[in-house]
Amino acid sequence: MTEMKKIYFALIAFAAIFMTVDANAQLTVGAGYNHEVMTERAGGDDESEGLDGFYIEATYDWDFLEDYWGLLAIQPGLRFSYMGNSESEELMGIKMRSSLNETYFDIPVHVKYSYPLGDLKLSAFAGPVFSLGLSSSAKFTMKGDGEDYMTKVSLYTGKTVSKGDDGGYDAELDGSATDYARFDLKLGVGVGASIADVISVKAGYNFGLLNRYTGEYDYKIHTGVFYVGLGFSF
């Protein structure tokens, strides 16, 4: 199955969930801040890198059990996330900059517990998060002292684009699939609060369970994401 077909399959599956939604379910749309921690392990050494960004999402709450002790619901959702970072330095008049950017579609399926306190409702949630990487690219630029060079590599497909002036060169290589997997399965946990079932805030963490490195060496890549955001329910 091609990567584009995987993306289409994920979107179709999520659309099917919404088509079967109960009329009493509550739709929430929201946005917020993401911080991804990418941890690489080689032998006994660990190295972590942080990426910052944002997310936008839509979720449904399907209430299925309510009693004096609170309310239980199933909460599926669809989330688009962007995360990136960059580093710059200057050496002998030459400015160098490297950056890493990633985008994802996530499908969280949480079990949510809520307890009402008047118009305020406190909640906690947990469940699997199915994550599909849309893009992951590393970029390097170098400018100054007669140099003007850029190279950009897709960490999923291996496609490389290079451009340069004053002795540089232009090239585009299709590349081949790399050892960095698009798919991840995460365990999501978090807490939240809502006011009058209209405005809500939440914070959570998605623990990456799979090794994103698929090669043959003793090497591991795990990603985890902290997020905090604001939502509006209808």
Side-chain angles (χ1 to χ4, degrees):
M1 181 183 294
T2 67
E3 299 300 341
M4 188 58 67
K5 286 183 179 179
K6 291 180 182 179
I7 295 172
Y8 288 156
F9 177 78
L11 294 176
I12 292 172
F14 187 77
I17 293 175
F18 276 137
M19 289 173 64
T20 59
V21 70
D22 190 292
N24 295 321
Q26 187 175 46
L27 170 67
T28 301
V29 295
Y33 163 76
N34 274 335
H35 178 74
E36 180 182 63
V37 178
M38 180 181 295
T39 303
E40 302 178 38
R41 298 182 175 91
D45 297 328
D46 290 1
E47 183 176 343
S48 296
E49 184 173 8
L51 293 81
D52 297 297
F54 67 89
Y55 73 87
I56 55 176
E57 70 173 4
T59 61
Y60 261 110
D61 281 19
W62 292 342
D63 301 338
F64 68 89
L65 187 59
E66 183 175 8
D67 211 325
Y68 66 92
W69 42 259
L71 176 69
L72 282 179
I74 298 294
Q75 186 189 63
L78 178 64
R79 174 182 299 158
F80 170 81
S81 296
Y82 164 84
M83 288 160 285
N85 69 5
S86 64
E87 296 180 354
S88 300
E89 64 176 317
E90 185 172 343
L91 181 63
M92 299 179 64
I94 299 177
K95 296 180 180 179
M96 294 172 286
R97 182 176 183 269
S98 60
S99 62
L100 175 63
N101 297 279
E102 296 198 319
T103 59
Y104 294 93
F105 268 140
D106 293 329
I107 301 180
V109 184
H110 291 144
V111 175
K112 180 179 177 182
Y113 167 76
S114 302
Y115 188 82
L117 297 170
D119 286 338
L120 178 67
K121 184 183 290 183
L122 304 179
S123 60
F125 53 87
V129 179
F130 304 94
S131 183
L132 178 64
L134 301 178
S135 66
S136 180
S137 61
K139 184 178 179 181
F140 175 78
T141 60
M142 183 170 59
K143 293 185 178 182
D145 194 24
E147 300 286 347
D148 189 353
Y149 174 80
M150 182 279 294
T151 185
K152 184 177 181 180
V153 181
S154 169
L155 301 184
Y156 290 138
T157 66
K159 181 178 180 179
T160 302
V161 177
S162 297
K163 297 181 179 180
D165 296 325
D166 297 334
Y169 63 94
D170 292 352
E172 182 170 325
L173 304 176
D174 288 339
S176 58
T178 68
D179 293 327
Y180 186 46
R182 289 181 182 267
F183 180 74
D184 197 5
L185 174 63
K186 296 183 172 75
L187 172 62
V189 296
V191 294
S194 63
I195 301 175
D197 285 331
V198 176
I199 300 176
S200 60
V201 294
K202 67 178 179 180
Y205 195 90
N206 295 332
F207 297 88
L209 303 179
L210 302 183
N211 179 12
R212 301 285 297 279
Y213 174 71
T214 60
E216 60 184 9
Y217 299 107
D218 182 16
Y219 187 72
K220 296 181 180 180
I221 301 176
H222 285 87
T223 55
V225 180
F226 166 79
Y227 61 91
V228 58
L230 179 68
F232 297 90
S233 300
F234 302 90

